[in-house]
Amino acid sequence: MSDWTSGYVADVEYTTGYFVELNPVRLPIGLLNAGYAPPKVRNACELGFGQGMSIAMHAAAQPHVNWYGDDFNPDHVLFARWLNDSAGANAELTDESFEQFCSRDDLPMFDSIGLHGVWTWVSPQNRDIIIDFINRKLNVGGVVYCSYNVMPGWSTAAPLRELMKLHTRMTAGAGMGSGEKMEAALNFIGEMFDRDPQYQAANPQAKAKFEQMKTMPPGYLSHEYMNSNWDLMYFSDIADMLGAAKLQFACSASYQEAVEETQFTPAQRAWLAGVDNEPFRETMKDFMRNTQFRKDYWVKGGLALPQAERIERIRDVRVVLQVQRANVPLTVSSALGDVTLVPEIYGPIVDFLADNRPHSIRDIEIGIQDKNIQFGQVLQALMLLTGLGQVGFAQSDTEIAAARAHTQKLNTALLRRAEAEDGINYLASPVTGGAIAVARVDQLFLKGWADGLAEPADWGDSAWRVLEAGGVRVIKDGQPLNSAEENRVALVEAAEKFRGTLLVLFQGLEIAVPRKVSPAGRKGGR
């Protein structure tokens, strides 16, 4: 019997996550900031889409794009198709091997190809297939998003992964699943650290990495570390390999990294500026930051734009505040530690965006023109805020209108699912063309509001009925509340807060949409 997994873990579910870097709506500002013309994305592909949350959200919220996706795991594909069908979207989702999918002759030329968490974890043969696919099927001017583990950041902790694999291969009991094998391996490594090995003394960061691993879901750890293939490379190696597909590095997809003042010291920036070879310079950046994981955009034949045109096109980009104004932090974490945001710059920009509605960068400049803030400062602030997830990118009004029916259908299905179980903490936004994280209890409040319940007390009562039926209790001050009345009161209080905060945010992002009631459903209707 053939092994259809190609050595990849398939007996435990992969995490259900959404990865914003795969969203084509955010491409323009990154490429424009790097000096390249962004493509008009009409056909997009995601290879190895996992549970399919990202591609399904994008297919629902960007119906003007033809979406194609492939993942070898049929369970993943079934779930992704459920999401896609719930939205009435038209993504083509298959469970073929990379070899089968990439050799098809019925696929279009793509403007965007995404690979999140694929490159490091597939075999060299599959990497060759992917490179050939990109070379043949990516349009000139198209973009590839690729994320991967890199050296030197893994140099001290990589032996822990090898020890997990050795433990699984040499000592794990017969019939144990991947999750059980992972738990046994973690216990064994913990026993090793308890005995003060010299490896720990020579690599003090390894123990911290191990403690971090223990807090992660077993399914994620199994997919991350227990596959047959797990190849760590330097950026320069990856640039050479992708160069065979005529790709060149455009920019980091983690947009906060474009603000180099938060990434490197003045001495480091001056030294790196003297390194002319870009793959070598990016490799040296990884040494400076001890990078473990990269998210990058690559272009095929990037067209350099004149400076004036580039700036005007950046000004046309639309952004939207994705959090409440009060929750925008005054300090943010960076490679150099905590960085304080300059209030005279960030304050007016965030205040202008506080309505949680889309605005062009040009509109922001006009709106704060009396604050003596220059274009470059606005751009830098938005690159940092978008990289940190505080600000997102918005589609055109026409694209938003076309997506509304699909996102509303998908969200209706997800809100209904939230009543039955936890685990999908995202809803679709036609504004951003993607997903927004929404906790289960907030989904329950939102469903009560969308169903026409008038007051937060009603939303809280409705949420408590759902949670009580599932044996779930509210956690307050680190402890579960015991009585039904305590839980109900806590949920009503939370619903009151929800009305004055998150509901306004979700309305701006067009996630909160009241359900239409037919005349027959109204009192006195016929």
Side-chain angles (χ1 to χ4, degrees):
M1 183 176 179
S2 63
D3 180 13
W4 57 270
T5 68
S6 297
Y8 196 84
V9 170
D11 64 335
V12 291
E13 286 191 351
Y14 189 60
T15 53
T16 306
Y18 172 76
F19 306 106
V20 69
E21 296 84 6
L22 290 160
N23 188 346
V25 177
R26 75 192 303 270
L27 285 176
I29 201 168
L31 297 184
L32 289 166
N33 185 58
Y36 298 103
K40 176 69 174 178
V41 177
R42 297 178 179 86
N43 297 308
C45 175
E46 185 180 345
L47 297 175
F49 56 67
Q51 293 280 7
M53 180 62 66
S54 297
I55 192 169
M57 287 286 179
H58 297 152
Q62 299 175 53
H64 59 284
V65 176
N66 300 310
W67 290 92
Y68 295 78
D70 181 58
D71 192 276
F72 79 105
N73 191 321
D75 292 336
H76 292 172
V77 175
L78 279 175
F79 179 69
R81 286 179 177 173
W82 175 78
L83 292 169
N84 184 69
D85 293 345
S86 296
N90 62 355
E92 182 177 316
L93 307 171
T94 64
D95 69 333
E96 298 169 299
S97 68
F98 283 151
E99 182 178 10
Q100 292 170 320
F101 180 82
C102 293
S103 63
R104 285 171 49 178
D105 59 9
D106 61 335
L107 298 176
M109 296 295 290
F110 293 106
D111 307 296
S112 173
I113 296 176
L115 304 102
H116 181 84
V118 172
W119 187 265
T120 301
W121 297 266
V122 297
S123 66
Q125 294 78 12
N126 273 322
R127 276 196 294 272
D128 288 342
I129 289 170
I130 291 169
I131 291 169
D132 176 70
F133 176 73
I134 292 171
N135 188 37
R136 290 184 296 105
K137 300 303 294 184
L138 183 68
N139 272 321
V140 172
V143 179
V144 169
Y145 163 69
C146 190
S147 63
Y148 33 78
N149 285 339
V150 290
M151 296 291 277
W154 275 101
S155 57
T156 61
L160 294 179
R161 188 266 181 180
E162 185 63 23
L163 191 55
M164 289 180 190
K165 290 290 293 182
L166 287 172
H167 183 273
T168 296
R169 180 161 59 89
M170 296 181 175
T171 68
M176 293 176 65
S178 293
E180 294 171 302
K181 293 176 182 177
M182 174 58 68
E183 183 177 359
L186 289 174
N187 288 337
F188 180 80
I189 293 173
E191 293 173 359
M192 178 195 73
F193 278 120
D194 289 341
R195 286 155 178 79
D196 297 323
Q198 291 192 27
Y199 166 73
Q200 178 179 349
N203 301 278
Q205 292 181 346
K207 179 64 181 300
K209 181 65 177 178
F210 172 70
E211 294 297 331
Q212 181 188 28
M213 289 178 183
K214 292 196 299 183
T215 67
M216 297 176 178
Y220 170 82
L221 288 173
S222 296
H223 283 268
E224 179 77 15
Y225 299 117
M226 305 301 276
N227 299 304
S228 297
N229 299 287
W230 196 69
D231 295 329
L232 301 173
M233 305 178 190
Y234 292 92
F235 176 87
S236 54
D237 298 326
I238 297 165
D240 286 342
M241 297 174 77
L242 292 180
K246 303 178 184 178
L247 295 182
Q248 63 190 76
F249 173 73
C251 65
S252 170
S254 300
Y255 284 164
Q256 70 273 21
E257 293 183 8
V259 186
E260 294 204 338
E261 291 84 349
T262 68
Q263 303 293 308
F264 307 104
T265 66
Q268 290 170 345
R269 295 201 304 275
W271 187 69
L272 289 167
V275 181
D276 293 332
N277 182 279
E278 186 168 58
F280 186 46
R281 184 170 62 251
E282 288 297 316
T283 303
M284 294 314 302
K285 287 181 179 180
D286 291 340
F287 271 86
M288 290 294 177
R289 293 176 298 202
N290 197 36
T291 306
Q292 290 188 343
F293 190 69
R294 288 187 65 120
K295 305 174 184 180
D296 292 325
Y297 291 132
W298 302 75
V299 292
K300 185 176 185 178
L303 175 65
L305 294 175
Q307 178 79 346
E309 181 182 353
R310 184 180 71 88
I311 291 174
E312 287 307 302
R313 292 182 66 172
I314 289 175
R315 285 177 166 142
D316 290 335
V317 172
R318 303 211 311 169
V319 296
V320 60
L321 189 64
Q322 295 185 143
V323 298
Q324 303 151 252
R325 169 63 182 92
N327 287 346
V328 176
L330 300 177
T331 61
V332 297
S333 298
S334 77
L336 297 180
D338 289 343
V339 173
T340 299
L341 304 182
V342 180
E344 292 80 9
I345 296 174
Y346 286 81
I349 294 172
V350 178
D351 287 342
F352 185 85
L353 297 172
D355 62 354
N356 300 114
R357 309 282 174 173
H359 298 279
S360 71
I361 294 177
R362 179 178 286 102
D363 289 339
I364 297 174
E365 284 187 279
I366 294 172
I368 62 173
Q369 58 187 343
D370 61 335
K371 304 298 183 182
N372 196 30
I373 302 174
Q374 306 303 312
F375 167 80
Q377 294 171 312
V378 174
L379 177 58
Q380 185 181 78
L382 291 174
M383 294 299 288
L384 183 60
L385 291 172
T386 55
L388 297 172
Q390 308 293 318
V391 172
F393 297 94
Q395 301 194 93
S396 69
D397 289 339
T398 300
E399 291 167 340
I400 292 171
R404 284 188 181 114
H406 297 289
T407 57
Q408 188 170 356
K409 285 179 182 178
L410 177 55
N411 289 342
T412 297
L414 292 173
L415 291 176
R416 190 179 300 120
R417 186 184 177 102
E419 291 187 313
E421 59 184 298
D422 197 3
I424 305 180
N425 295 323
Y426 299 95
L427 294 174
S429 168
V431 175
T432 67
I436 300 295
V438 183
R440 185 192 185 192
V441 69
D442 292 325
Q443 291 190 37
L444 296 177
F445 295 155
L446 188 56
K447 186 175 188 301
W449 174 85
D451 286 346
L453 298 180
E455 297 297 330
D458 301 321
W459 313 340
D461 287 343
S462 176
W464 170 235
R465 287 193 292 271
V466 170
L467 298 180
E468 184 180 33
V472 179
R473 295 294 183 267
V474 174
I475 303 296
K476 189 172 184 178
D477 299 327
Q479 298 295 324
L481 299 179
N482 294 318
S483 73
E485 182 59 18
E486 287 178 318
N487 279 271
R488 193 195 71 80
V489 169
L491 286 167
V492 170
E493 291 176 352
E496 287 278 6
K497 184 177 180 181
F498 174 86
R499 177 169 63 176
T501 54
L502 289 178
L503 181 58
V504 177
L505 169 64
F506 294 155
Q507 286 173 325
L509 297 172
E510 298 199 30
I511 289 173
V513 180
R515 191 167 304 159
K516 293 182 180 179
V517 180
S518 66
R522 301 182 187 276
K523 185 176 180 180
R526 295 170 63 92

